[in-house]
Amino acid sequence: MAMTDRKQDASAVDSGRDRLQKSLQENLLLLKVTLGESSDIVCREVAIGREGIPAGILYTDGLTDTASLQDFLLETLMIDLPEIEVREGGQPDAAFLEELKERILTVAEVQESDTVSSLLDSLLSGDTLLLVDGFAAGLVIPNRKWAERQVTEPNSQTVVRGPRDSFTENIRVNTALIRRRLKDPNLWNESRKVGTRSGTEVELMYIHGLVEESVLDELRRRLDLIKIDGILSSGYIEEFIQDTDYTMFPTIYNTERPDAVAANLLEGRIAILVDGTPFVLIVPALFVQFFQSPEDYYQRVLFSSFIRLLRYASFWIAMLLPAFYIAITTFHPNMLPPPLLISLAAQREGVPFPALMEAFIMELAFEILREAGLRMPRNIGSAISIVGAMVIGTAAVEAGIISAAMVIVVSLTAIANFVSPVYDLGFTVRIMRFGFMIIAGCFGFYGIMIGLILMILHMCSLRSFGVPYTSPLAPFNWSDQKDTMIRAPIPRMFRRPKLIGKANPVRQQPAVPGTPDTDNSESKR
């Protein structure tokens, strides 16, 4: 019966109409039919003031602050409202709606709208709608409130010394965390809706005067081209706006740390915030950027440079160590010292598989254990992954299926992969490792060298919003080496990255008056 009643209501009201009428009942019926009389949409008809002017209040249960609705709206309209000038027939004066908006409602940013689509968008976002009989327009009263996660420590990109706050799923909290660090009037924010059904709010944050306008225009163009029914995470936006889909290397940086976003904005980059996700996208992104951690700039320069070099070394170890072991044991055993060669030969004497198959078995087993540890309940996930790896490795060696040397190689590879400060780059290494293992098992060191050449050529061909992905290494730029392989002292980092901060290249002036001419000339270079 309920379904039949809805169909009758839908036939009685033109639900495709996008303009409100002066009749309150028609407007309420139109909104109810459009929303399918959903149970979480609350519609209450009230009488305003002593004159009893008919009005309707609509809000979404669970998205609206009902306490403020009671204190600042219902009491004001039904009890505290002064006398209203009415026309013949009991209708309020034509300026009544404007007076409600400007003088009577004690809430900020009350907006007026006469289109059904805009009213529905506000209603489903948590705002309250006020419709008054005799007016072909409604008031949108902002009083959104819903259950949300508080600001906590970041789960990824953790640091020992530095801020401990991270983004949440609320986009307004995220923008506030950034503005708390950058109190610059030139920090501009552009908002747009993406997703025809989800209506997800996407905001661009950048510092006017530092950002390259051509990059900003290109980002706007790519966002405007997105035609999809729903955006549920920043990962959707990333796939739509990245320069190429067919690459293993991430060309868009993402982080959940507000300090990392603030630092990138100061270099002339653009932050993309998506409502409903705690990860913010940064463009343009460079390859060297994925080896940099916010903690690099909170520690002393020598320690930070050492740790960064360690990350680069760990990247190559995690990618190439199993391939090197396969190539040496299969094609180039004469490169090993005789005692080590004899030891490896003795370990592999009872192993029934070639080195390539041996490595594949161990790597796949470890990847399965790692994914199982991530998906299982947090209290037992880490124990399962650690204990499982130890038990399987020990049992495989004792059973003669895997050599002890291979267990050591796979363990070192896994540990080196965890050194990466960005998860996306670590995932790239995990996938490419299998490719290098295959070509090492087929062609030895020659295959590894061919694979490295192809990988570097591919990286050099990548762009991130027009910026070469491998810069400042290729094309090489000497001034940008102060923050590439190592980190120079912050007082010596005078300039922003050359291809990122072209609009305003000078970051700072010499820290101490009377600095030698070499520093002054460097700041002008």
Side-chain angles (χ1 to χ4, degrees), residues 56 61 99 103 137 152 186 215 272 279 322 337 378 386 431 478 513:
D61 191 18
E99 187 176 357
R103 297 180 53 190
T152 58
N186 290 317
V215 176
I272 307 171
F279 287 91
R378 185 172 298 179
I386 295 173
I431 298 298
W478 176 253

Side-chain angles (χ1 to χ4, degrees), residues 91-142:
Q91 293 293 330
D93 187 77
F96 174 64
L97 205 63
E98 188 68 21
E99 187 176 357
L100 277 177
K101 176 182 174 183
E102 300 294 339
R103 297 180 53 190
I104 297 177
L105 295 177
T106 58
V107 292
E109 298 182 0
V110 178
Q111 298 180 354
E112 182 178 339
S113 177
D114 60 353
T115 61
V116 175
S117 57
S118 63
L119 290 174
L120 288 176
D121 182 68
S122 300
L123 175 64
L124 297 176
S125 297
D127 296 328
T128 299
L129 304 185
L130 174 61
L131 305 178
V132 181
D133 190 32
F135 293 91
L139 296 182
V140 177
I141 303 168

Side-chain angles (χ1 to χ4, degrees), residues 333-348:
N334 56 337
M335 296 182 63
L336 297 175
L340 180 58
L341 179 59
I342 293 172
S343 175
L344 290 178
Q347 294 178 28
R348 292 189 47 78

Side-chain angles (χ1 to χ4, degrees), residues 471-487:
S471 63
L473 299 175
F476 185 81
N477 180 264
W478 176 253
S479 63
D480 287 353
Q481 301 308 311
K482 292 183 177 182
D483 195 22
T484 303
M485 303 296 293
I486 61 173
R487 179 180 75 80

Side-chain angles (χ1 to χ4, degrees), residues 12 74 82 92 139 168 220 274 277 318 322-323 332 348 374 384 389 465 481 497-499 516:
L74 291 178
L139 296 182
T168 69
R220 292 179 182 134
V274 181
T277 177
H332 315 284
R348 292 189 47 78
L374 288 175
I384 290 295
F465 285 84
Q481 301 308 311
K498 183 177 181 180
L499 298 179

Side-chain angles (χ1 to χ4, degrees), residues 171 204 263 288 465:
I171 193 171
L204 308 181
V288 298
F465 285 84

